Amino acid sequence: MRISHCIVSAALALPVAALADDHQHSLEAHVHGIATLNIALEEQQLELQIESPAMNIVGFEYQPKTATDKQTVEAAQSTLKDAAALFVLNPAAQCTLTSVSVDNDLLEETDEHDHDHESHSDVESHDAEHSHSDINAHYHYHCSKPAALNNLDLAGFFKQFPRTEKIRVQFITADQQQGVELSHEHTQFNW
Ligand SMILES: [Zn+2]
């Protein structure tokens, strides 16, 4: 009895190690606590693109089940759409927000579920396979004086979503590209 139990454990050890290795690869793009922000400035068009694990934004990554879960996701969704509460651009650049879109894994699945009750078991197995969820948000601004734009402060974002520990920023214009890592202690990006 005891010997066969040992053999089973040894046989299981190998695939688990292989899985852990796979997991390391996926973590490069999805690490809890870390978000990425791409900033693209082209003439008077400024685009901010945030990509974040849902964990940083709502505190969980499973499909919302209870009323409280759903409220948390909806509250995070409206905070994400409130660009002024998240980003401060230097006023001299005279940037105005022209559009916002939020791509939220935790909302899409909810919609699908509501519309198609028959595929309930499919949705559940889908959840089990995809235990991670992301939230991406795009913000477009029109800046009347883009040459004056040389600063972005993310203090608001860190305050609204304190589970975000670091934001990896990539800034791209026609003639320059630079990257910086921001945190709660260091929220400003100057270029
Ligand atoms: Zn995750």
Side-chain angles (χ1 to χ4, degrees):
M1 251 327 242
R2 229 187 134 73
I3 289 168
S4 70
H5 178 78
C6 284
I7 290 166
V8 168
S9 301
L12 281 173
L14 200 68
V16 169
L19 274 178
D21 213 28
D22 270 355
H23 199 62
Q24 292 265 317
H25 283 286
S26 63
L27 282 178
E28 284 176 15
H30 180 110
V31 181
H32 294 176
I34 298 181
T36 62
L37 170 65
N38 293 316
I39 307 170
L41 179 64
E42 192 179 346
E43 294 178 355
Q44 295 188 315
Q45 304 300 318
L46 175 71
E47 187 182 353
L48 305 184
Q49 187 183 351
I50 280 266
E51 296 179 3
S52 174
M55 182 63 77
N56 304 354
I57 307 292
V58 299
F60 57 83
E61 296 195 345
Y62 53 83
Q63 295 305 313
K65 291 180 176 67
T66 65
T68 309
D69 289 348
K70 286 173 186 165
Q71 278 169 12
T72 303
V73 172
E74 276 160 26
Q77 185 80 0
S78 38
T79 304
L80 274 175
K81 288 185 174 173
D82 185 9
L86 308 176
F87 313 111
V88 175
L89 298 156
N90 52 327
Q94 298 176 20
C95 299
T96 39
L97 189 69
T98 53
S99 74
V100 182
S101 67
V102 180
D103 179 12
N104 187 335
D105 284 352
L106 301 184
L107 279 179
E108 283 169 7
E109 291 287 330
T110 307
D111 286 350
E112 191 181 315
H113 186 86
D114 286 347
H115 294 300
D116 192 357
H117 286 276
E118 286 183 23
S119 67
H120 187 218
S121 61
D122 286 349
V123 171
E124 285 203 332
S125 62
H126 183 77
D127 283 357
E129 286 166 24
H130 297 86
S131 53
H132 289 287
S133 300
D134 291 299
I135 297 178
N136 302 328
H138 288 220
Y139 306 85
H140 290 263
Y141 294 84
H142 179 271
C143 302
S144 301
K145 305 255 169 66
L149 186 64
N150 58 6
N151 177 277
L152 174 65
D153 194 335
L154 292 173
F157 191 94
F158 282 109
K159 190 177 169 208
Q160 294 292 337
F161 305 116
R163 290 182 193 86
T164 305
E165 293 163 23
K166 285 177 183 171
I167 300 179
R168 291 178 177 152
V169 180
Q170 281 290 326
F171 175 73
I172 300 165
T173 65
D175 55 6
Q176 64 170 316
Q177 176 166 357
Q178 53 179 300
V180 70
E181 198 167 83
L182 300 180
S183 65
H184 288 264
E185 295 77 38
H186 187 80
T187 62
Q188 282 206 27
F189 175 46
N190 304 297
W191 62 86

